[in-house]
Amino acid sequence: RAALWADERGAAEPFVQALMRAYWAEGQDISDVAVLARLASGVGLDGVAEAIDDARIKAAIEANGREAIDRGLFGVPTAVFRGKLYFGTDHLDLLDRHMARWRASAGEESRP
C-alpha cells in the first residue's frame, strides 16, 4: 500500500529502492509504520501512516491483485513486456534483451 501511495506521488522508484534496501540489506521490519514513515521521509514523502489505512488505497491493491491473478502473474519479480511473461530474477536478463531488441526496431521515442 505504501508503494502504491508513493507511486501516486511520483516517487515509487526511490521509495521502493529504499524499502528493498531496508528489508533485504539492512534487515529492517518494513511492516513497522515508523520504519515506513522514515523511509518515505527520506525520499521527500510525508503521510504514509494515514495512506496505508486509506480505503481507496486498500481497494486499489485488491484490484491490482485480482488483475495479476487474471493475467496469470505470480511472485516477484514478474513483468509482462509486449505480451510475454518474465518471472524471477534469473529471467530479467531475457527481459533486458527483449526490450533492447524492441528499442532497436521501434526507436527510443516508442514505448511498450
Side-chain angles (χ1 to χ4, degrees):
R1 287 177 278 174
L4 178 60
W5 168 81
D7 184 48
E8 290 177 345
R9 283 146 187 79
E13 186 171 339
F15 178 71
V16 170
Q17 286 180 3
L19 191 68
M20 294 297 107
R21 186 178 321 104
Y23 183 76
W24 294 106
E26 300 166 5
Q28 295 183 49
D29 180 2
I30 61 171
S31 68
D32 182 330
V33 176
V35 171
L36 289 175
R38 182 178 44 75
L39 295 171
S41 179
V43 298
L45 299 173
D46 293 313
V48 71
E50 297 80 16
I52 60 173
D53 287 327
D54 184 293
R56 184 186 59 76
I57 296 285
K58 288 180 180 182
I61 292 296
E62 288 176 14
N64 288 351
R66 283 189 302 276
E67 179 185 355
I69 290 167
D70 291 346
R71 294 179 79 180
L73 304 181
F74 56 93
V76 176
T78 298
V80 176
F81 179 73
R82 302 192 51 81
K84 183 170 171 68
L85 178 71
Y86 298 86
F87 172 73
T89 57
D90 55 329
H91 290 113
L92 293 179
D93 62 329
L94 297 174
L95 173 60
D96 286 342
R97 281 188 262 160
H98 188 181
M99 291 173 66
R101 282 193 307 270
W102 178 82
R103 282 189 195 107
S105 67
E108 281 296 322
E109 65 281 352
S110 300
R111 296 289 173 222

